[in-house]
Amino acid sequence: MFNYSRDVMLLRRNPKRGRKSESENEENKDRLSDLPDCVLLHILSFVNAKYAVQTCTLSTRWKDLWKRLPSLILHSSDFFTLKSFAKFVSRLLTLRDGSTALKGLDFNRYCFIQPHLLERIVKYAVSHNVQRIGLSIMYGFELVPPCIFSCETLTSLKLEVRSKALFPESLNLPALTTLHLVNFAFCANGNDRAEPFSSFKRLNSLTIFYCCPSDVDILCISSTTLCNLTVDISFRNVYTIDLSSPSLRTLAFKGRVLVTLTGRNLSSIEHVNLEIWSNKYSLILLSWLLDLANIKSLTVYSSTLEVLSSIPDILELKYPILGGLKSLKVLVPEYKFRKAPAMLEDPFSLIPYGIVDFLLQNSPSAKVDVIKC
């Protein structure tokens, strides 16, 4: 019978049985700690700050490494109480190496936020030449320190609120190239339209989710540098988007409604992604395809094709659409394949009959792919 204490002592006294081979020692070597600081800090920049700080207990090698984190991910959901979250953030900002620039800040708090805590976090980031900021809060957008809207080093800004907020009218972000907004309303600028993005002289990528003009029906997206635009609209936000962006190349749109699209520079758009659900907007969808005549690639969800096919006698009509199309991708939800496994052999049977041929009537050589998503 095995006697735990006796047999363990015997094992310890036997040097031959306790000695590990060189190969075993090599396998158990801590290679991660041997990596340069810059590599370890890059890895830790993708980890929530709470867990990045906890690495200080691994060994003396890691003891002070977290103090030079180039990016901070601060999510209150990692803590049981707001008090513990606030205490952690306060200690973190106090002990962090102040000579190290802060490249990124990701702050997430979907409940009550202490104004002084939010102010300290944002001011700390701005004073340390932050380049990327992401703020996700439930409400209290007016509590966000105005210094964030005049940060000269900021290249990427993501703002998300759960309760609709007004987007600031006066901003000075000369280095901003990427802007991501969720649940904002845009005020008119003295005429019949809202034009909130014209002050961004280097804007390259714009994403607006559940946003709309607050007191007018036209949202003007005016930018000479904008290349990528993504729009996601809730079912209540119906308005017109006027594009004045001659450099725009990629347009993605998703929503239960489809806005009217106007503009002088639609011919510059080459790549389009559409996900529409409501048949109510089938004619607007057709007008989009007519206006976006020069696109080279089109990605559509099967629901979009169902909306398009709801137009009476559409397969009998000839339109000057998509003449330069090189690629058509149709995304079909995985559940449709599960409902009909036999369709895997012929995925085109999951798409409304004839609608692909309708899209390709002026570009029959375009490559077509049906993709499970």
Side-chain angles (χ1 to χ4, degrees), residues 12-242:
R12 288 178 177 173
R13 290 172 184 169
N14 189 336
K16 293 184 178 180
R17 297 188 65 177
R19 185 183 301 144
K20 294 183 179 180
S21 66
E22 292 184 7
S23 60
E24 288 177 318
N25 286 331
E26 186 65 24
E27 289 178 3
N28 294 328
K29 185 179 179 180
D30 182 7
R31 292 184 175 84
L32 185 61
S33 294
D34 288 339
L35 294 173
D37 283 5
C38 61
V39 176
L40 294 178
L41 288 169
H42 180 71
I43 294 172
L44 289 178
S45 67
F46 296 98
V47 180
N48 285 10
K50 176 181 179 180
Y51 306 112
V53 171
Q54 289 176 353
T55 62
C56 69
T57 63
L58 295 176
S59 67
T60 54
R61 170 76 172 84
W62 295 79
K63 182 180 178 182
D64 295 318
L65 197 62
W66 64 270
K67 295 180 181 180
R68 292 183 286 127
L69 284 171
S71 298
L72 296 178
I73 301 176
L74 302 172
H75 292 180
S76 63
S77 57
D78 294 328
F79 298 81
F80 289 111
T81 65
L82 175 59
K83 183 178 180 180
S84 62
F85 175 61
K87 183 178 180 180
F88 171 82
V89 171
S90 179
R91 291 282 292 169
L92 173 68
L93 299 184
T94 300
L95 297 175
R96 185 179 180 274
D97 183 356
S99 65
T100 302
L102 186 64
K103 293 183 178 180
L105 169 67
D106 180 359
F107 178 82
N108 188 310
R109 172 65 180 168
Y110 282 139
C111 198
F112 171 76
I113 178 67
Q114 297 170 327
H116 70 276
L117 179 63
L118 180 60
E119 181 178 14
R120 183 179 181 188
I121 293 171
V122 172
K123 286 187 174 180
Y124 181 92
V126 172
S127 66
H128 285 75
N129 300 321
V130 68
Q131 297 175 20
R132 303 181 305 274
I133 288 184
L135 292 182
S136 298
I137 56 179
M138 179 169 284
Y139 45 76
F141 181 72
E142 66 279 0
L143 301 176
V144 176
C147 63
I148 194 176
F149 303 117
S150 58
C151 179
E152 295 184 355
T153 59
L154 198 62
T155 61
S156 176
L157 177 62
K158 178 180 179 181
L159 298 174
E160 179 178 359
V161 291
R162 291 295 179 92
S163 179
K164 188 77 75 177
L166 286 176
F167 188 66
E169 293 187 53
S170 57
L171 297 96
N172 180 27
L173 300 170
L176 193 72
T177 59
T178 301
L179 180 62
H180 186 128
L181 302 174
V182 181
N183 215 16
F184 281 89
F186 307 114
C187 292
N189 57 352
N191 49 32
D192 62 346
R193 61 189 58 208
E195 192 172 350
F197 310 116
S198 58
S199 64
F200 303 126
K201 303 305 180 183
R202 299 181 62 184
L203 190 63
N204 177 271
S205 180
L206 173 64
T207 299
I208 50 176
F209 282 10
Y210 317 129
C211 296
C212 63
S214 64
D215 47 7
V216 291
D217 296 325
I218 300 176
L219 173 62
C220 181
I221 299 178
S222 176
S223 170
T224 58
T225 59
L226 185 66
C227 293
N228 307 293
L229 173 62
T230 300
V231 181
D232 191 330
I233 297 182
S234 66
F235 64 92
R236 288 174 292 183
N237 298 331
V238 181
Y239 54 89
T240 295
I241 292 181
D242 182 26

Side-chain angles (χ1 to χ4, degrees), residues 9 19 39 169 261 270 332 362:
M9 289 300 295
R19 185 183 301 144
V39 176
E169 293 187 53
L261 189 66
E270 298 179 350
V332 180
N362 298 308

